[in-house]
């Protein structure tokens, strides 16, 4: 991954509100988010650590601390003559397509969850404005709980008078 791509990823991750309630509601999701955050922190630390070239090896200190100086000389000559090529990782088109598909699926799930949250908030607001009491009318009860009202009407039509009692 190039440094510019790494910076873009870091900027996107820094814009996420990790303390949002959506990440805390489900223990499994919370654990996955914590693991992901730990992984990104480790990746950031490794990127910082390995961004600079390594320090040169001090062969003189090694020669003074070992008995076989010829071994250190051989390692030093091998080190100085060696010039390995840099290893770069290329993200294949196939893997990019798979990840893009996963992201689209997650976005669709996010839209569904947001729709469910909006519907639930509307239902909570309706229930708060129409609190039932002993003085509530059956029509208000049917308006607030339409599924229960429909079930009651079906029971009346089918003459199931004692359907919900213990002794059938």
């Amino acid at each position: 991954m190039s440094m510019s791509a790494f910076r873009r990823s870091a900027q996107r991750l820094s814009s996420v509100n990790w303390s949002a309630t959506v990440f805390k509601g489900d223990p499994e999701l919370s654990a996955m988010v914590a693991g992901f955050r730990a992984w990104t922190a480790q990746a950031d630390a490794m990127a910082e650590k390995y961004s600079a070239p390594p320090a040169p090896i001090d062969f003189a200190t090694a020669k003074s601390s070992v008995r076989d100086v010829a071994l250190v000389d051989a390692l030093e000559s091998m080190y100085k003559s060696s010039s390995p090529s840099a290893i770069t990782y290329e993200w294949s088109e196939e893997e990019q397509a798979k990840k893009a598909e996963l992201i689209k699926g997650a976005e669709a799930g996010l839209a569904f969850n947001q729709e469910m949250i909006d519907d639930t908030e509307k239902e909570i607001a309706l229930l708060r404005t129409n609190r039932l009491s002993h003085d509530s009318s059956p029509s208000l009860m049917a308006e607030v709980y339409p599924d229960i009202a429909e079930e009651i009407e079906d029971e009346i039509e089918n003459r199931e008078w004692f359907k919900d009692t213990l002794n059938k």
Side-chain angles (χ1 to χ4, degrees):
M1 179 184 284
S2 68
M3 282 308 270
S4 62
F6 180 75
R7 284 189 192 104
R8 284 193 307 269
S9 296
Q11 287 172 348
R12 272 188 254 127
L13 289 173
S14 66
S15 67
V16 174
N17 180 10
W18 294 110
S19 60
T21 55
V22 69
F23 296 124
K24 295 180 181 178
D26 181 22
E28 184 179 350
L29 176 65
S30 181
M32 290 175 72
V33 167
F36 178 72
R37 290 184 68 195
W39 178 80
T40 56
Q42 181 183 15
D44 290 343
M46 289 177 69
E48 184 68 30
K49 179 180 179 181
Y50 297 114
S51 63
I57 299 172
D58 186 11
F59 288 104
T61 305
K63 287 178 186 177
S64 67
S65 64
V66 293
R67 281 186 257 160
D68 192 2
V69 177
L71 178 63
V72 176
D73 286 334
L75 287 173
E76 183 177 11
S77 65
M78 183 182 73
Y79 178 75
K80 289 184 179 177
S81 66
S82 174
S83 59
S85 61
I87 298 173
T88 56
Y89 175 75
E90 294 295 326
W91 196 16
S92 70
E93 295 292 325
E94 177 183 299
E95 289 178 7
Q96 287 180 6
K98 286 180 184 176
K99 295 301 177 189
E101 186 177 321
L102 287 173
I103 289 170
K104 286 180 184 176
E107 287 173 349
L110 180 65
F112 174 73
N113 287 342
Q114 188 59 46
E115 182 181 326
M116 292 294 290
I117 288 170
D118 293 341
D119 290 345
T120 304
E121 286 175 349
K122 288 177 186 174
E123 189 173 336
I124 289 171
L126 175 72
L127 291 173
R128 284 187 176 154
T129 57
N130 297 316
R131 290 186 187 259
L132 298 178
S133 67
H134 291 292
D135 300 327
S136 299
S137 66
S139 61
L140 177 62
M141 185 180 230
E143 181 183 335
V144 175
Y145 299 105
D147 50 342
I148 295 174
E150 183 180 339
E151 182 181 348
I152 291 171
E153 288 298 320
D154 289 344
E155 288 176 4
I156 291 172
E157 286 177 13
N158 296 335
R159 298 181 180 266
E160 297 172 341
W161 309 116
F162 303 106
K163 176 184 167 199
D164 297 327
T165 60
L166 294 176
N167 298 332
K168 289 187 177 184

